[in-house]
Amino acid sequence: MSRRSQLFVGRLPLDSREREIESIFDRYGSLVRCNLKYGTGMAYAFVDYEDKRDAERM
């Protein structure tokens, strides 16, 4: 059974960088990946934690 969990982070500024997002969310637990995407007028990210409990702290 996988205990991984994914968070969606929306409404990020277009000048956001993946390393910045990782450094913010890494404080709460072990990250598996951070995937930053750019849309029209804003950016968004998917942040995956190794342990579901880390994502629940958010």
Side-chain angles (χ1 to χ4, degrees):
M1 182 161 107
S2 176
R3 294 194 52 96
R4 290 187 179 177
S5 187
Q6 184 178 80
L7 294 178
F8 171 78
V9 184
R11 304 185 131 225
L12 298 171
L14 284 173
D15 63 349
S16 299
R17 298 292 171 248
E18 202 164 280
R19 288 202 184 265
E20 294 171 331
I21 305 303
E22 287 174 349
S23 69
I24 292 168
F25 286 91
D26 191 43
R27 299 177 198 169
Y28 299 97
S30 178
L31 293 180
V32 175
R33 82 180 170 111
C34 176
N35 192 1
L36 184 62
K37 302 287 186 183
Y38 298 95
T40 305
M42 72 179 97
Y44 57 96
F46 295 98
V47 179
D48 294 349
Y49 282 99
E50 183 68 37
D51 191 322
K52 180 179 177 182
R53 293 174 292 184
D54 296 333
E56 291 172 348
R57 292 183 206 183
M58 299 302 303

